[in-house]
DNA sequence: TCAAAAGTTGTTATATAATAACGTTTCGAT
DNA sequence: ATCGAAACGTTATTATATAACAACTTTTGA
């Protein structure tokens, strides 16, 4: 299943996406500086690649891009280690249903990742998930279950792709 | 990452689990008869293996058990085809966060799978998810998103494992 | 009843995703 | 300057899932 997805007609139709990337990188730099974390060139580059669109990106897609840039093949641990660092520090999320990674909107704030994923344009939108989070916590509480991690990945068709502007 | 998990102290402490298995198989037989579906020996056996506990089971764990029973190694497609049939017909769910499969409580009724997964005893409990489902649908509706599939997998510690009997 | 079509299974090979293990380099604090 | 921890390079392997095609079985319809 090679991910030869042609880039969607408009991966990011509603804004200049370069601004997203720059914002994300600047935030990451600041966050790492404050926390005494080392945002090394590899880690920064992987974060930038993850942010190149709002479509979740597979580890091996990242690997291929790194390899192409360097002119020599990179090895999986290079990418997975960078991804682990970014995950650990809240800079990206992993989407279990896609085996893919996506940049986090608000890395300062600890939170669970809740996503709407469009099967047409492949864009994953992170939700400020108050309602869902509450429903999960409440349902769990009723059963005496202690929530540690939430995986909420909703697939379907996004408004633009439905023509609902 | 071999799943050499020793069977939990009490995989199914609160009921005679054999009843679960028999119930699930009987329901499956009836549902397939009604729908003109062929619950072949392999499919039935895989369903039974999935139901052997309330812990999600990996495809390769199933494969190993089938191989052991038959005395000869079974091949992955054998298991994946059976799992696909069972998934298509609502008899099992797949847990994306675990790459594993679990029997469905109520295969008659079309529904999304919402789960609480205990990281200690590994039991996955399917939720009758009205509150969560509503929260998801409402959040999506506000954004004009058409929901097609929900992946809701909440990990943590279940009441028995917390000692909250 | 028989033959075609559809569905199921066996089998081999391969694709895709992730980690193990170990040595080397770099960074940062003393 | 040196030591220890962290990061990285490299090779190999494990884990999960699918492709492709042949053989067999069931169902269907002439």
């Amino acid at each position: 299943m090679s991910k030869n997805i042609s880039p969607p007609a408009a991966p990011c139709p509603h804004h200049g996406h370069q601004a997203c990337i720059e914002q994300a990188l600047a935030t990451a730099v600041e966050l790492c500086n404050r926390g005494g974390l080392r945002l090394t060139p590899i880690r920064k580059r992987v974060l930038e690649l993850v942010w190149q669109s709002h479509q979740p990106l597979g580890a091996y897609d990242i690997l291929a891009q790194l390899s192409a840039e360097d002119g020599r093949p990179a090895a999986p641990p290079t990418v997975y280690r960078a991804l682990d660092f970014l995950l650990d520090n809240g800079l990206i999320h992993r989407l279990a249903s896609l085996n893919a990674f996506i940049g986090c909107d608000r890395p300062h704030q600890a939170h669970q990742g809740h996503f709407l994923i469009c099967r047409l344009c492949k864009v994953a939108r992170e939700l400020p998930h108050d309602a869902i989070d509450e429903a999960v916590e409440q349902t769990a509480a009723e059963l005496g279950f202690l929530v540690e991690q939430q995986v909420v990945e909703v697939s379907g068709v996004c408004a633009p792709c439905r023509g609902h502007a």
Side-chain angles (χ1 to χ4, degrees), chain A:
Chain A
M1 187 178 27
S2 167
K3 297 239 183 80
N4 282 329
I5 297 169
S6 56
C12 207
H14 305 311
H15 62 279
H17 183 64
Q18 191 60 36
C20 289
I21 300 176
E22 285 166 14
Q23 165 84 56
L25 289 178
T27 302
V29 167
E30 185 233 341
L31 190 147
C32 289
N33 281 343
R34 281 215 244 172
L37 303 171
R38 294 167 58 188
L39 189 63
T40 64
I42 292 178
R43 291 166 176 177
K44 191 171 181 180
R45 184 64 188 126
V46 168
L47 180 60
E48 197 176 357
L49 289 172
V50 168
W51 267 103
Q52 75 192 274
S53 80
H54 292 290
Q55 304 171 294
L57 194 62
Y60 279 74
D61 293 325
I62 295 168
L63 193 58
Q65 293 192 51
L66 283 183
S67 298
E69 290 175 2
D70 290 7
R72 55 175 175 171
T78 299
V79 165
Y80 280 102
R81 283 192 285 234
L83 290 171
D84 285 343
F85 171 87
L86 297 170
L87 284 170
D88 286 346
N89 295 292
L91 294 165
I92 61 173
H93 292 282
R94 179 170 190 272
L95 296 180
S97 63
L98 299 176
N99 292 332
F101 303 84
I102 191 164
C104 176
D105 280 308
R106 40 195 213 292
H108 284 101
Q109 170 188 356
H111 63 282
Q112 304 290 334
H114 292 180
F115 295 92
L116 298 183
I117 306 165
C118 179
R119 75 170 153 81
L120 296 179
C121 69
K122 314 293 184 190
V123 166
R125 173 171 183 171
E126 187 170 356
L127 297 171
H129 49 292
D130 295 337
I132 294 172
D133 194 62
E134 278 171 29
V136 167
E137 288 290 355
Q138 183 185 329
T139 302
E142 285 169 11
L143 298 168
F145 189 96
L146 172 66
V147 174
E148 292 175 343
Q149 193 190 7
Q150 295 178 30
V151 172
V152 176
E153 300 171 17
V154 176
S155 298
V157 186
C158 71
C161 285
R162 292 171 78 189
H164 293 198

